[in-house]
């Protein structure tokens, strides 16, 4: 009775132990490789490999034992890769607020393309080729987003002032600052100046002043901005000639609706 095999005659205990030892070796090797991969991923700004498996960090946690588990993990780390590249490259400078919002949504929802050389090249090539369309769309989207509840906003053109919505006073981010960055870019281009890098743009400066200086206004070369607790920002334009050029752009998109007079 001292021989355990005599107790369980239908099972080879020795074989089970041997298999367990092999499983242990493979698991330890897999863990070592995952740790190595995670170190490389973090160094390359691809995120943390623990995130896709965590229900607290990822809304659709990955089961690595799924048939396509490894593909899902790779897709997950492509998100931080795209986010880092788009931010550090400055390509957002050529994108209007709507395009930036659409891109941010693709990162959040995981609908971005694979992070491959071909997809990066095609994405950058397309964005650069469409920069002219996005330039004009920035103005059009600002106009379309104006609320006619404010008498300052004229329903047929930009006047001397406009009132923008979309500002969260507690922590200014999002569509409001994107619109101001669009205005700054359009005015710079119309004025023959280089497009400002959005990473150091007016929107970011407004956020900085609001957070660190508790300020509620900004004065620039083309317009002054003052924002309020109710989530609005009042824009006072300084260059009437540039405002008229903006209205010409609007008249091309709304030829029957805008009563623009050259």
């Amino acid at each position: 009775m001292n021989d355990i095999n005599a107790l369980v005659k239908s099972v080879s205990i020795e074989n089970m132990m041997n298999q367990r030892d092999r499983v242990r070796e493979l698991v330890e090797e897999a863990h070592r490789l995952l740790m190595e991969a995670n170190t490389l991923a973090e160094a390359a700004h691809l995120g943390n490999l623990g995130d896709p498996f965590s229900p607290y960090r990822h809304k659709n946690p990955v089961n690595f034992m799924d048939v396509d588990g490894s593909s899902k993990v790779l897709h997950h780390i492509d998100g931080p890769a795209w986010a880092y590249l788009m931010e550090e490259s400055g390509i957002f400078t050529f994108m209007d607020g709507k395009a930036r919002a659409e891109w941010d949504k693709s990162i959040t929802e995981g609908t971005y393309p694979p992070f491959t050389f071909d997809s990066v090249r095609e994405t950058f090539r397309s964005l650069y080729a469409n920069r002219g369309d996005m330039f004009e769309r920035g103005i059009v989207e600002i106009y379309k987003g104006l609320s006619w509840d404010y008498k300052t906003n004229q329903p047929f053109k930009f006047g001397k002032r406009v009132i923008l919505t979309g500002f969260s006073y507690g922590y200014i981010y999002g569509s409001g600052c994107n619109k101001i960055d669009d205005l700054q870019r359009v005015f710079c281009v119309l004025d023959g100046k280089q497009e400002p890098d959005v990473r150091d743009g007016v929107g970011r400066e407004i956020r900085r002043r609001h957070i660190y200086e508790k300020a509620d206004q900004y004065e620039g070369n083309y317009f002054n901005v003052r924002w309020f607790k109710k989530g609005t920002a009042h824009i006072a334009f300084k260059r009437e000639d540039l405002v008229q050029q903006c209205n010409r752009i609007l008249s091309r998109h709304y030829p029957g609706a805008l009563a623009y007079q050259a």
Side-chain angles (χ1 to χ4, degrees):
M1 300 297 292
N2 293 328
D3 186 353
I4 193 168
N5 284 318
L7 296 175
V8 191
K9 296 182 179 180
S10 62
V11 176
S12 172
I13 303 299
E14 183 179 1
N15 182 62
M16 290 182 64
M17 294 298 178
N18 290 337
Q19 295 295 347
R20 180 189 179 280
D21 286 342
R22 181 56 180 157
V23 169
R24 175 184 55 76
E25 292 174 356
L26 291 173
V27 168
E28 290 177 349
E29 177 65 8
H31 181 264
R32 185 190 67 78
L33 291 172
L34 281 173
M35 294 299 292
E36 181 180 345
N38 188 59
T39 299
L40 292 174
E42 291 185 331
H45 306 281
L46 304 177
N48 188 297
L49 286 184
D51 290 349
F53 305 109
S54 172
Y56 304 104
R57 302 290 297 274
H58 198 275
K59 63 180 181 180
N60 295 310
V62 174
N63 182 352
F64 202 51
M65 300 304 292
D66 287 346
V67 175
D68 58 348
S70 59
S71 297
K72 290 179 179 178
V73 172
L74 287 175
H75 179 72
H76 174 81
I77 67 175
D78 281 351
W82 275 114
Y84 177 78
L85 179 63
M86 297 295 282
E87 176 68 22
E88 292 299 310
S89 67
I91 195 67
F92 279 142
T93 296
F94 301 115
M95 300 168 67
D96 65 316
K98 183 176 182 180
R100 292 198 296 273
E102 290 172 348
W103 184 261
D104 289 342
K105 183 179 179 181
S106 75
I107 295 297
T108 301
E109 297 184 352
T111 57
Y112 43 81
F115 189 73
T116 64
F117 181 81
D118 287 342
S119 62
V120 169
R121 179 179 58 187
E122 183 57 33
T123 297
F124 275 58
R125 179 183 295 168
S126 176
L127 289 173
Y128 189 78
N130 293 325
R131 67 190 186 283
D133 292 338
M134 289 190 289
F135 163 78
E136 292 203 358
R137 189 175 70 173
I139 281 294
V140 173
E141 289 297 320
I142 292 172
Y143 170 77
K144 287 168 59 178
L146 293 178
S147 172
W148 310 127
D149 293 336
Y150 302 102
K151 294 182 179 179
T152 298
N153 295 337
Q154 302 183 40
F156 53 88
K157 68 176 183 179
F158 286 118
K160 294 182 179 180
R161 299 172 181 270
V162 295
I163 297 177
L164 300 180
T165 56
F167 284 79
S168 175
Y169 191 82
Y171 204 62
I172 294 181
Y173 273 103
S175 62
C177 285
N178 283 343
K179 292 175 182 178
I180 291 179
D181 281 330
D182 286 344
L183 277 176
Q184 178 77 1
R185 180 175 64 255
V186 168
F187 282 168
C188 284
V189 172
L190 294 177
D191 197 26
K193 304 292 179 61
Q194 184 176 354
E195 292 172 297
D197 191 326
V198 73
R199 293 173 294 179
D200 192 31
V202 175
R204 186 159 295 187
E205 174 63 14
I206 286 176
R207 290 192 290 268
R208 187 194 66 79
R209 292 189 180 190
H210 176 71
I211 295 171
Y212 297 107
E213 300 177 9
K214 308 302 179 183
D216 61 359
Q217 55 189 317
Y218 164 86
E219 181 172 354
N221 294 328
Y222 299 116
F223 48 76
N224 296 336
V225 185
R226 187 173 184 183
W227 50 95
F228 297 86
K229 291 184 178 180
K230 58 183 179 180
T232 61
H234 292 216
I235 315 294
F237 299 121
K238 292 184 174 182
R239 293 280 301 273
E240 183 179 355
D241 58 325
L242 299 182
V243 174
Q244 289 179 354
Q245 291 188 56
C246 288
N247 285 332
R248 291 192 187 98
I249 292 174
L250 289 178
S251 68
R252 291 201 296 271
H253 289 266
Y254 300 97
L258 296 179
Y260 173 71
Q261 299 294 327

